[in-house]
């Protein structure tokens, strides 16, 4: 049984009180701006471009925080507290300028300087490229966690990779997604600080060559890779703590040294250097190609080896006894991507430090902890044994030995049950033997958690049941959260100000305080003010939309949003089917009393995920047909917003009336946009999946629009479910499908969307769209009815905001700190 939630709440880190006021700044930001503009860019102030002005303001803000950044490091070195390290292949940071200014509470100072210089902060802020070093929820969660750890004054550090190209930029051509490279570091990044003196080495046993874009690994050619740290400040709210995100860039050893290894092969040495630098060139958007997968494996090792070397060096600076490692260091593995930390830490302790196996194992397990973020079998990492052998032969030996000892334990607990042994094993036997990275992570750490209650339960009882049987005490749940600084305070000034006027500003660092809004849900004047705040947010969005894309939408229509990666399990297709049903109702009865709605979609499809790309095309095609039909003008509109990123989410979420969270129950681990929408006063239409279940528990199901099969029902009806039944028995379902299948949305060509027809009917509808379509349509009818009662709508929306406090990442991080890391805040003077 999980043993968490038992520790005294008194040990919980408390956020810095927002009322304590801003820290004092050294220096004059105005002078700093001038200096930065003229000296960094060698340009006369009057001749500077908008981007140069942005860069100068950002550098001036960095100058402001530098002193606190140094003081934070010194405070940690003095106090020698237990430190927290968050290892992640992804950090989806977005923009930093306005976030850093608000967290530093430097807005008055900056605003004054900007006015003097006649600069528009919002215009400058838009010059900053999004740091898109992540694919989706997992990467954004890592960024929210960094914000919370700094705000809670925890001695924490993030470790990741400095991809020169982040997640691809999405363009839509003829309704289809086209991927373009995201060269976000084209111009120098004002936030990063390179630390050449903190360079570390990582050794692999093969050379890597890129031929025709595909990496080739040559065996038995030992290579040294060099990790160069690039540090970024992570400003806690209030500006007291400034933590560090350290991103590794890959390099080859200096080729004067390398020349010796290469026997004077100067050209070879230089080319090797180019190859090494390729390692951190690009973030992986999927794992479709075998060659690509191999380079990803080396990336994962590179992150682990560089980070551990750095962590252990810092540990040794303040501690001389290796046995205190778990008292001084907690390392959290963000999914299995950094799970090679298990074998790398063992390698260092056994081979380099020369501790015995048992001692090393005890230290390793007690230092590391693992978070699982998905149950989808295709997303659970399995690396071929042959690849391990090629790149990391010593690691393979260590993994085999870990497994040998682990399987002895399994056999001792379940004598004679070789089925159990095979299922629990870290090694998957089969045509290609593979290392199951989730098993390695569970066996090699003291804590495994899922990211929402239902997800943790399914992980424990289904996905890795055989391991949970062996180590029941290791399993727990940490429901996700999001930072209220970026996702309410910064992105939605109208609502943030309304809340602060009503209940004070402590909610910014103690989101549970939003409960004080509950009585105001019945206050007519507050409801009216709340509606005005939503209107203001919608206007702000529509103004931007028109300026950026030329699109005009009906501002009084319901803004209904589904924004997330495009994936079959997330069921954008269910939304499309429902829209077609609604479209047909409008056409059948032009005077039907249905409130106008604008459906917004945004999200990227993995470049090799053909069906996901076809779903994007379908959305755009339906949007096109609807847009040109006079029968629905002003009443129904479908918009696909290209290039979904953090900044677009910050614009759209405040303007949303309805949040679509409609995954097949049991498939969405948690979701985090669901929480952002709730905080910003949208009503959720959703299935009982992920954290949406807990959100509805907090707010009361009567304030949610839940529908559809439960995870339990999905699992038990799989055997007999037949989508044809719904096609045959529900005329509206049939009509919608027939329109897709007959070419109504593809200029009469029935072939274009044939694969979608096949997935939904011929191939069995794995994600059970048709089973949930009827209940979904009826739920949307209830949403439309509520729209006719603006006061009733506002009441529910206010109650949602009031009960969103639990979904702050401050709460999540407090749970990690007390129940997994056993780490305490280390306030900086
Ligand atoms: C797998 C791979 C495979 C190799 C190529 C790159 C790549 C990138 C990511 C993944 C796994 C993604 C798992 C993920 O993002 N899970 C999401 O995590 C969120 C934060 O916990 C959670 O809210 C979402 O429900 C869950 O889908």
């Amino acid at each position: 049984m999980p043993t968490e939630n038992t520790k005294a709440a008194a040990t919980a880190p408390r956020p810095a009180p927002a009322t304590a006021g801003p820290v004092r700044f050294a220096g004059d930001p105005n002078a700093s701006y001038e200096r930065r503009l003229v000296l960094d860019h060698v340009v006369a102030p009057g001749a500077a471009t908008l981007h140069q002005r942005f860069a100068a303001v950002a550098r001036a803000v960095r100058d402001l925080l530098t002193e606190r950044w140094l003081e934070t490091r010194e405070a940690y070195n003095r106090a020698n507290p237990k430190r927290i390290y968050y290892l992640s292949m992804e950090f989806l940071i977005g923009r930093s300028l306005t976030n850093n200014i608000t967290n530093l509470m430097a807005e008055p100072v900056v605003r004054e300087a900007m006015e003097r210089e006649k600069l528009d902060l919002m215009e400058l802020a838009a010059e900053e490229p999004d740091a898109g070093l992540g694919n989706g929820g997992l990467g954004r969660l890592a960024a929210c966690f960094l914000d919370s750890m700094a705000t809670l004054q925890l001695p924490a550090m993030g470790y990741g990779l400095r991809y020169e190209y982040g997640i691809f930029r999405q363009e839509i051509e003829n309704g289809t997604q086209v991927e373009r490279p995201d060269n976000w570091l084209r111009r120098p990044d004002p936030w990063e600080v390179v630390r050449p003196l903190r360079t570390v080495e990582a050794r692999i046993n093969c050379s890597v060559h890129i031929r025709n874009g595909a990496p080739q690994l040559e065996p038995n050619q030992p290579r040294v890779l060099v990790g160069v740290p690039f540090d970024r400040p992570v400003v806690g709210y209030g500006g007291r703590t400034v933590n560090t995100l350290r991103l590794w860039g890959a390099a080859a050893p200096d080729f004067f040294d390398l020349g010796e290894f290469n026997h004077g092969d100067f050209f070879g040495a230089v080319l090797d250097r180019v190859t090494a630098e390729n390692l951190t060139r690009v973030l992986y958007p999927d794992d479709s190609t075998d060659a690509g997968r191999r380079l990803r494996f080396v990336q994962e090792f590179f992150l682990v080896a560089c980070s551990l070397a750095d962590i252990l060096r810092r540990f040794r600076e303040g501690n001389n006894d290796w046995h205190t490692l778990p008292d001084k260091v907690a390392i959290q593995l963000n999914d299995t991507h950094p799970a090679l930390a298990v074998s790398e830490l063992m390698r260092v302790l056994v081979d380099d430090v020369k501790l015995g196996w048992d001692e090393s194992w005890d230290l390793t397990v007690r230092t590391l902890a693992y978070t699982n973020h998905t149950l989808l079998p295709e997303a659970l990492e399995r690396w071929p044994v042959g690849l391990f052998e090629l790149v990391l032969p010593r690691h393979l030996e260590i993994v085999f030995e870990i497994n040998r000892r682990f399987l002895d334990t399994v056999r001792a607990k379940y004598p004679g049950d070789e089925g159990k042994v095979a299922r629990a094993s870290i090694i998957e036997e089969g045509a290609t033997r593979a290392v199951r990275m989730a098993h390695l992570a569970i066996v090699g750490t003291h804590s495994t958690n899922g990211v929402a209650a239902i997800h943790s339960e399914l992980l424990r009882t289904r996905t890795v049941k055989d391991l949970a049987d062996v180590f029941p005490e290791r399993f727990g749940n940490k429901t996700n959260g999001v930072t209220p600084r970026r996702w309410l305070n910064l992105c939605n000034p109208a609502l943030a100000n309304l809340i602060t006027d009503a209940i004070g500003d402590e909610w910014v660092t103690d989101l549970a305080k939003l409960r004080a809004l509950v009585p105001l849900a019945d206050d007519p004047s507050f409801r009216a003010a709340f509606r005005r705040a939503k209107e203001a947010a919608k206007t702000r969005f529509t103004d931007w939309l028109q300026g950026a894309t030329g699109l005009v939408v009906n501002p009084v229509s319901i803004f209904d949003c589904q924004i997330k990666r495009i994936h079959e399990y997330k069921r954008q297709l269910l939304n499309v089917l429902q829209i077609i049903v609604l479209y047909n109702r409008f056409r059948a009865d032009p005077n039907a009393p249905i409130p106008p709605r604008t459906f917004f979609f945004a999200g990227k499809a993995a470049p090799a995920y053909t069906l996901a790309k076809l779903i994007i095309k379908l959305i755009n095609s339906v949007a096109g047909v609807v847009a040109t039909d006079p029968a629905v003008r002003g009443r129904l509109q479908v918009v696909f917003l290209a290039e979904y990123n953090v900044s677009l989410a910050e614009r759209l979420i405040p303007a949303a009336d309805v949040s679509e969270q409609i995954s097949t129950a049991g498939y969405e681990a948690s979701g985090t946009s669901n929480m952002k929408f709730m905080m910003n006063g949208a009503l959720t239409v959703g299935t009982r999946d992920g954290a949406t279940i807990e959100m509805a528990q907090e707010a009361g199901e009567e304030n949610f629009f839940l529908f559809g099969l439960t995870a339990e029902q999905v699992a038990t009806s799989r055997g007999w479910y037949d989508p044809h039944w719904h096609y045959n028995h529900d005329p509206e379902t049939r009509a919608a499908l027939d329109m897709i299948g007959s070419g109504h949305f593809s200029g009469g060509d029935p072939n274009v969307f044939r694969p979608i027809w096949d997935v939904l009917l011929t191939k069995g509808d794995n994600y059970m769209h048709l089973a949930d379509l009827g209940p979904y349509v009826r739920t949307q009818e209830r949403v439309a009815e509520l729209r006719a009662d603006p006061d009733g709508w506002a009441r529910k929306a206010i109650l949602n905001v009031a009960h969103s406090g639990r979904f702050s990442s401050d709460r999540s991080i407090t749970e990690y700190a007390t129940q997994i890391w056993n780490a305490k805040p280390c306030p900086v003077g």
Side-chain angles (χ1 to χ4, degrees):
M1 277 295 109
T3 52
E4 54 187 38
N5 295 324
T6 50
K7 300 230 170 85
T11 60
R14 294 300 305 154
T19 45
V23 291
R24 283 180 302 104
F25 297 113
D28 168 9
N30 205 29
S32 180
Y33 167 74
E34 281 253 359
R35 221 174 36 242
R36 288 297 176 193
L37 188 64
V38 176
L39 301 184
D40 289 2
H41 301 279
V42 192
V43 64
T49 65
L50 198 56
H51 192 85
Q52 287 171 329
R53 289 167 206 263
F54 151 73
V57 170
R59 283 304 307 268
V61 171
R62 203 185 90 192
D63 291 346
L64 276 185
L65 62 81
T66 297
E67 201 176 327
R68 294 302 295 182
W69 203 1
L70 289 170
E71 281 173 22
T72 302
R73 191 164 68 197
E74 281 156 21
Y76 295 167
N77 285 343
R78 262 196 316 274
N80 190 23
K82 181 168 185 180
R83 301 193 193 232
I84 301 157
Y85 298 106
Y86 199 81
L87 265 61
S88 178
M89 286 288 280
E90 307 192 6
F91 287 92
L92 197 41
I93 299 165
R95 293 182 174 138
S96 295
L97 180 60
T98 53
N99 184 73
N100 287 350
I101 292 171
T102 21
N103 279 16
L104 283 168
M105 293 185 160
E107 215 177 321
V109 193
V110 173
R111 196 162 290 283
E112 199 188 297
M114 305 280 289
E115 271 163 24
R116 230 176 306 153
E117 297 291 329
K118 302 209 171 9
L119 296 170
D120 174 4
L121 181 58
M122 286 305 133
E123 193 187 15
L124 286 188
E127 280 294 303
E128 181 172 3
D130 264 50
L133 311 184
N135 273 286
L138 170 145
R140 184 52 234 176
L141 184 78
C144 283
F145 278 8
L146 292 181
D147 180 274
S148 284
M149 290 189 287
T151 298
L152 291 163
Q153 308 193 330
L154 287 165
M157 202 166 158
Y159 278 106
L161 295 183
R162 180 180 180 267
Y163 304 109
E164 279 164 52
Y165 293 83
I167 182 70
F168 63 86
R169 280 190 306 107
Q170 177 193 56
E171 289 180 9
I172 302 295
E173 288 177 5
N174 297 322
T176 306
Q177 167 177 300
V178 180
E179 300 89 23
R180 304 264 182 244
D182 161 46
N183 192 0
W184 75 293
L185 289 174
R186 185 172 55 245
R187 293 177 284 211
D189 183 278
W191 304 112
E192 68 178 13
V193 182
V194 60
R195 303 267 183 218
L197 298 180
R198 288 296 185 203
T199 290
V200 296
E201 292 185 347
R203 283 159 206 279
I204 56 176
N205 199 42
C206 61
S207 62
V208 184
H209 303 277
I210 312 281
R211 289 203 191 95
N212 300 325
Q216 313 275 323
L217 307 181
E218 302 289 338
N220 298 320
Q221 300 198 9
R223 284 290 184 276
V224 178
L225 300 168
V226 169
V228 182
F230 290 79
D231 288 356
R232 309 175 71 83
V234 182
V235 183
Y237 190 76
R240 287 180 166 64
T241 294
V242 180
N243 282 338
T244 300
L245 169 60
R246 179 160 283 186
L247 300 178
W248 298 105
D254 191 300
F255 54 88
F256 291 110
D257 301 342
L258 202 96
E260 289 173 31
F261 292 108
N262 284 273
H263 308 289
D265 179 4
F266 173 75
F267 283 102
V270 176
L271 289 178
D272 261 4
R273 182 186 190 88
V274 172
T275 311
E277 288 164 0
N278 277 333
L279 187 59
T280 49
R281 196 79 72 200
V282 60
L283 166 80
Y284 275 79
D286 64 3
D287 56 355
S288 50
T289 62
D290 195 46
R293 265 203 291 276
R294 282 188 222 136
L295 197 65
R296 163 108 181 163
F297 181 68
V298 182
Q299 279 188 341
E300 293 185 354
F301 172 68
F302 181 70
L303 166 67
V304 161
C306 295
S307 307
L308 275 179
D310 203 42
I311 290 167
L312 295 178
R313 174 196 49 76
R314 192 174 300 109
F315 168 73
R316 292 298 285 170
E317 274 171 13
N319 309 277
N320 51 26
D321 182 358
W322 281 98
H323 296 99
T324 63
L325 184 68
D327 306 321
K328 290 294 178 188
V329 174
I331 300 176
Q332 192 67 33
L333 308 178
N334 199 23
D335 215 295
T336 56
H337 313 155
L340 286 169
V342 174
S343 43
E344 174 67 0
L345 186 49
M346 280 302 284
R347 189 196 62 75
V348 173
L349 294 177
V350 172
D351 294 357
D352 298 349
V353 183
K354 310 219 178 296
L355 299 182
W357 181 279
D358 290 334
E359 248 175 344
S360 302
W361 184 243
D362 175 65
L363 297 179
T364 297
V365 171
R366 286 164 56 216
T367 301
L368 302 178
Y370 156 60
T371 304
N372 173 284
H373 293 271
T374 180
L375 304 178
L376 288 186
E378 63 268 31
L380 293 176
E381 288 190 300
R382 290 178 176 83
W383 291 113
V385 164
L387 184 59
F388 258 85
E389 178 94 71
L390 189 67
V391 185
L392 303 168
R394 177 64 180 139
H395 277 244
L396 186 61
E397 281 178 0
I398 291 171
V399 169
F400 279 149
E401 180 59 13
I402 292 171
N403 197 38
R404 190 186 66 75
R405 290 166 179 248
F406 165 60
L407 294 184
D408 282 349
T409 320
V410 180
R411 288 195 176 98
K413 195 162 177 178
Y414 300 93
D417 190 348
E418 283 305 301
K420 185 117 198 146
V421 171
R423 290 193 304 274
S425 176
I426 296 171
I427 307 297
E428 183 173 80
E429 306 290 344
T432 45
R433 296 177 85 203
V435 180
R436 295 165 168 155
M437 299 306 282
H439 292 214
L440 179 62
I442 293 165
V443 174
T445 66
H446 68 278
S447 164
T448 293
N449 73 280
V451 288
I454 184 180
H455 165 66
S456 299
E457 177 74 8
L458 293 174
L459 180 69
R460 194 168 59 79
T461 58
R462 280 195 214 160
T463 315
V464 292
K465 177 180 184 306
D466 297 296
L467 290 152
D469 287 344
V470 182
F471 304 117
E473 73 290 347
R474 290 188 183 181
F475 283 74
N477 172 57
K478 298 285 166 280
T479 299
N480 282 166
V482 302
T483 170
R485 268 73 65 186
R486 185 177 292 262
W487 297 109
L488 180 51
N489 194 37
L490 196 60
C491 74
N492 196 344
L495 183 57
N497 290 336
L498 176 69
I499 294 171
T500 297
D501 288 347
I503 64 170
D505 67 357
E506 286 178 30
W507 61 270
V508 179
T509 49
D510 184 1
L511 205 64
K513 287 260 162 26
L514 291 180
R515 287 258 167 165
L517 294 172
V518 168
L520 296 174
D522 290 315
D523 173 343
S525 71
F526 187 78
R527 283 184 196 163
F530 185 87
R531 276 204 300 275
R532 282 197 298 277
K534 181 57 82 178
E535 277 160 25
K538 289 174 83 167
T539 305
R540 194 163 180 241
F541 174 73
T542 51
D543 285 351
W544 170 81
L545 183 67
Q546 190 168 3
T549 69
L551 271 171
V552 178
V553 297
N554 175 359
V556 300
S557 65
I558 300 172
F559 283 14
D560 184 314
C561 308
Q562 187 174 18
I563 53 174
K564 47 186 81 248
R565 284 298 285 252
I566 312 293
H567 204 293
E568 285 164 88
Y569 85 81
K570 295 180 187 280
R571 295 202 299 193
Q572 280 90 0
L573 272 181
L574 180 61
N575 196 349
V576 173
L577 287 168
Q578 170 253 161
I579 291 169
I580 299 174
V581 168
L582 186 61
Y583 174 54
N584 288 336
R585 287 185 182 181
F586 270 125
R587 291 200 304 165
D589 179 2
N591 299 315
I594 307 175
R597 249 202 236 215
T598 306
F599 291 96
F600 292 96
F601 289 86
K604 293 177 184 178
Y609 190 170
T610 322
L611 195 82
K613 292 175 109 171
L614 194 61
I615 293 171
I616 292 177
K617 190 175 177 64
L618 178 63
I619 295 168
N620 281 309
S621 304
V622 171
V625 168
V626 168
T628 51
D629 188 339
V632 295
R633 181 149 308 140
R635 307 180 69 194
L636 177 62
Q637 193 172 356
V638 179
V639 175
F640 187 94
L641 299 162
E643 177 54 10
Y644 181 44
N645 58 16
V646 172
S647 294
L648 180 55
E650 288 173 45
R651 294 181 195 283
L652 181 58
I653 290 171
D657 295 305
V658 171
S659 155
E660 299 280 349
Q661 306 298 333
I662 58 176
S663 51
T664 314
Y667 283 85
E668 189 67 271
S670 162
T672 41
S673 78
N674 46 2
M675 304 167 181
K676 297 165 194 165
F677 280 113
M678 184 188 193
M679 270 173 209
N680 284 277
L683 299 182
T684 304
V685 174
T687 46
R688 290 175 178 80
D689 202 13
T692 303
I693 298 176
E694 292 159 69
M695 287 162 38
Q697 273 165 6
E698 290 287 306
E701 286 212 6
E702 69 282 7
N703 296 311
F704 262 63
F705 291 93
L706 297 183
F707 71 94
L709 298 176
T710 63
E712 192 66 39
Q713 290 166 331
V714 167
T716 53
S717 59
R718 267 214 182 285
W720 48 264
Y721 170 64
D722 179 8
H724 290 100
W725 190 92
H726 298 277
Y727 179 81
N728 293 328
H729 288 82
D730 179 14
E732 289 191 300
T733 298
R734 182 164 55 238
L737 279 162
D738 284 349
M739 284 168 80
I740 294 173
S742 68
H744 188 93
F745 300 110
S746 39
D749 183 349
N751 293 319
V752 176
F753 296 121
R754 182 79 208 179
I756 289 179
W757 168 278
D758 285 341
V759 152
L760 293 175
L761 280 164
T762 329
K763 295 185 178 166
D765 186 16
N766 189 245
Y767 294 100
M768 299 194 165
H769 297 80
L770 301 197
D772 277 348
L773 181 57
Y776 182 40
V777 168
R778 287 191 286 282
T779 303
Q780 292 287 19
E781 286 168 10
R782 292 201 293 120
V783 172
E785 276 163 29
L786 185 64
R787 197 61 176 182
D789 170 14
D791 254 0
W793 184 291
R795 182 173 180 281
K796 279 197 190 344
I798 294 165
L799 288 175
N800 266 274
V801 176
H803 292 101
S804 66
R806 180 156 178 256
F807 304 101
S808 164
S809 44
D810 297 343
R811 190 268 315 147
S812 310
I813 285 299
T814 301
E815 291 178 7
Y816 277 91
T818 54
Q819 297 164 13
I820 299 178
W821 303 329
N822 190 25
K824 297 192 169 45
C826 181
V828 184

